Amino acid sequence: MNILVANLGSTSLKFRLFRFDGAGGAALLAKGGYERVTDYGKAIDDCLAELKAAGHVRSPADLHGVGFKTVLGKNLTGCVPADEKTIAALDGFKEIAPAHNPPYATGIQRFREKLPGVPLVALFETAFYQWVPEAAARYAVPEAWHQAGVRRYGFHGASHKFVAERSAELLGRKDIADRVRQLYQAGPTPVSGRALRVISCHLGGSSSVTGIRDGVAIGTSMGLSPQSGLPQNNRVGDLDSAAVPFVMKTLGLSIAEVERQMTKEGGLLGLSGVSNDLRDIRAAATAGNARAQLALDVFVHSARHWIGAFLLELGGCDALVFTAGIGENNPDLRAAFCAQLEQLGIVIDPVKNDALRGAEGEISAAGSRVKVFVIPANEELVVARETLRCIAAHN
Ligand code: AMP
């Protein structure tokens, strides 16, 4: 079974092709992509020609499905066929995710035209948050705003779901790993035994922290849009809503300019004044740049704030997990996230922590009550697996 995962940006198409064996094992057969795309139809043709030339997909009939990691849709979430309803849902919330929803809507439409008969599946990033308690999803806004869709949706669902499944496996809880695997088809099935509490920290170009009980999210740091929560690469993260009218009035900025600055000139870039990439910020901080050091400190403070929130919500935790570019590759930041948490049962082993970069492993000390893991993100694999399950469920 060949499953293509298409990652659509405003001017790019990136793809990965997975081949699944009968037992659910997946091999990555190919990956690639195109930048400066102006015609998705042509990019799709090029992609298929590339896969044909490599001998992986001789014709569209060899393709069993295409999966899309869509961000959020109006009145629609989960893992669903990427059809007219999905395109309308993406369109309905294009104002919330202007960089993501329009390219996905266009791209899915073009895939439908180019590959008639090939099942297309959308895995919404919000899917993992379908069972978050209402009290954790609601903003204290006027009812009309809520009715219009202003609520916490949460993002990075594919990544946090992978962490939920993999951490359960690492902790020997096959029952919970199975529960996570079936979540989008069966919903949260009954559980027995001790609760499994995990805090998943997806720290990368875009970051979020999610609390997970028995494999199901109970809350997350991101809200209405991917602009919230921790400072992002160039997006502001959490911000008092009064800041927007304040800068409009005092700096004379238009709403479009405020939106541009909040998404392009905020976050780690805005704080550091150096770069949106943590590697550059670290290098500048090491060289004595005070703003770069402050950017790192704010990031650590914010991550700890959200880890603390979920420690309380979950009543403690069994595993704290770091994933994505920053979480996987920066032992010193991981040590900072976990500093002085001994009373809460979180103790890092400095030798294990320093040795682990870009690979899976445990970094907690032998006596640590909470296991601390690094689990490399593999969002495309999650999309491919869910696409396969969705196709099976709809046939
Ligand atoms: P992601 O969004 O998961 O691709 O993560 C991107 C972020 O991870 C950027 O801020 C990078 O600076 C950071 N990152 C990626 N690789 C490394 C590395 N080898 N060392 C330090 N930071 C890294």
Side-chain angles (χ1 to χ4, degrees):
M1 299 279 270
N2 292 326
I3 300 289
L4 182 67
V5 175
N7 188 344
L8 300 167
S10 49
T11 58
S12 65
L13 164 63
K14 293 182 190 140
F15 66 86
R16 289 191 190 195
L17 180 72
F18 294 91
R19 180 162 296 164
F20 286 85
D21 59 33
L28 177 66
L29 290 190
K31 66 177 196 176
Y34 311 97
E35 302 287 343
R36 299 198 185 99
V37 170
T38 51
D39 178 350
Y40 282 106
K42 181 176 181 312
I44 296 163
D45 285 345
D46 291 347
C47 166
L48 293 175
E50 210 176 307
L51 296 175
K52 187 175 181 180
H56 298 312
V57 177
R58 291 179 306 278
S59 79
D62 289 336
L63 207 51
H64 300 97
V66 183
F68 303 90
K69 189 162 69 75
T70 44
V71 177
L72 89 165
K74 187 169 186 176
N75 300 326
L76 187 65
T77 191
C79 189
V80 296
D83 54 15
E84 283 301 335
K85 202 169 139 202
T86 299
I87 293 171
L90 289 168
D91 199 46
F93 270 172
K94 62 176 186 285
E95 302 294 344
I96 298 177
H100 296 97
N101 278 14
Y104 269 109
T106 310
I108 289 172
Q109 187 61 49
R110 296 313 305 269
F111 267 97
R112 290 179 72 204
E113 291 158 14
K114 290 279 170 187
L115 299 174
V118 176
L120 308 184
V121 172
L123 172 61
F124 282 98
E125 286 286 63
T126 51
F128 195 48
Y129 305 101
Q130 293 173 74
W131 300 281
V132 164
E134 192 61 10
R138 281 296 277 264
Y139 288 120
V141 291
E143 182 60 18
W145 294 28
H146 175 68
Q147 293 301 332
V150 177
R151 58 177 284 131
R152 286 186 177 279
Y153 293 101
F155 301 94
H156 295 137
S159 177
H160 290 299
K161 183 172 186 283
F162 183 71
V163 165
E165 181 180 336
R166 185 68 192 132
S167 60
E169 285 172 352
L170 293 173
L171 292 165
R173 291 294 302 269
K174 187 179 173 308
D175 57 330
I176 301 297
D178 289 344
R179 189 180 198 235
V180 177
R181 232 166 268 140
Q182 294 306 320
L183 193 57
Y184 296 160
Q185 279 74 47
T189 48
V191 271
S192 55
R194 207 171 52 78
L196 186 69
R197 303 154 304 171
V198 174
I199 298 176
S200 172
C201 306
H202 177 109
L203 307 175
S206 150
S207 300
S208 65
V209 175
T210 292
I212 303 167
R213 181 182 286 119
D214 292 330
V216 179
I218 57 131
T220 189
S221 58
M222 275 184 172
L224 172 71
S225 78
Q227 325 289 359
S228 49
L230 281 76
Q232 316 293 338
N233 49 6
N234 4 9
R235 291 177 267 130
V236 290
D238 280 345
L239 178 72
D240 188 322
S241 58
V244 173
F246 176 74
V247 294
M248 288 178 73
K249 289 173 195 163
T250 57
L251 302 181
L253 303 180
S254 66
I255 190 70
E257 180 58 11
V258 171
E259 274 183 317
R260 193 193 67 77
Q261 291 190 16
M262 287 202 306
T263 53
K264 302 274 191 275
E265 295 180 359
L268 294 174
L269 173 65
L271 280 165
S272 70
V274 171
S275 167
N276 67 0
D277 190 302
L278 199 92
R279 284 166 284 207
D280 305 331
I281 298 170
R282 286 184 45 160
T286 306
N289 183 317
R291 275 182 64 187
Q293 184 57 52
L294 180 66
L296 297 178
D297 294 346
V298 170
F299 189 74
V300 170
H301 178 269
S302 182
R304 283 169 66 91
H305 170 92
W306 284 103
I307 292 169
F310 292 119
L311 265 174
L312 196 80
E313 285 284 313
L314 292 164
C317 79
D318 301 292
L320 175 63
V321 181
F322 295 106
T323 189
I326 295 175
E328 291 164 27
N329 295 296
N330 292 277
D332 51 349
L333 283 188
R334 291 194 300 246
F337 300 137
C338 298
Q340 295 171 337
L341 298 182
E342 296 82 3
Q343 296 291 330
L344 298 172
I346 299 172
V347 188
I348 291 258
D349 179 321
V351 177
K352 284 194 215 163
N353 183 35
D354 283 347
L356 196 63
R357 282 161 218 257
E360 182 179 286
E362 183 188 337
I363 56 169
S364 36
S368 180
R369 211 161 58 235
V370 175
K371 298 278 186 201
V372 185
F373 296 121
V374 174
I375 298 179
N378 198 341
E379 293 164 281
E380 288 81 4
L381 178 62
V382 174
V383 178
R385 282 179 180 167
E386 295 299 334
T387 298
L388 205 54
R389 285 183 197 129
C390 180
I391 293 169
H394 283 85
N395 285 307

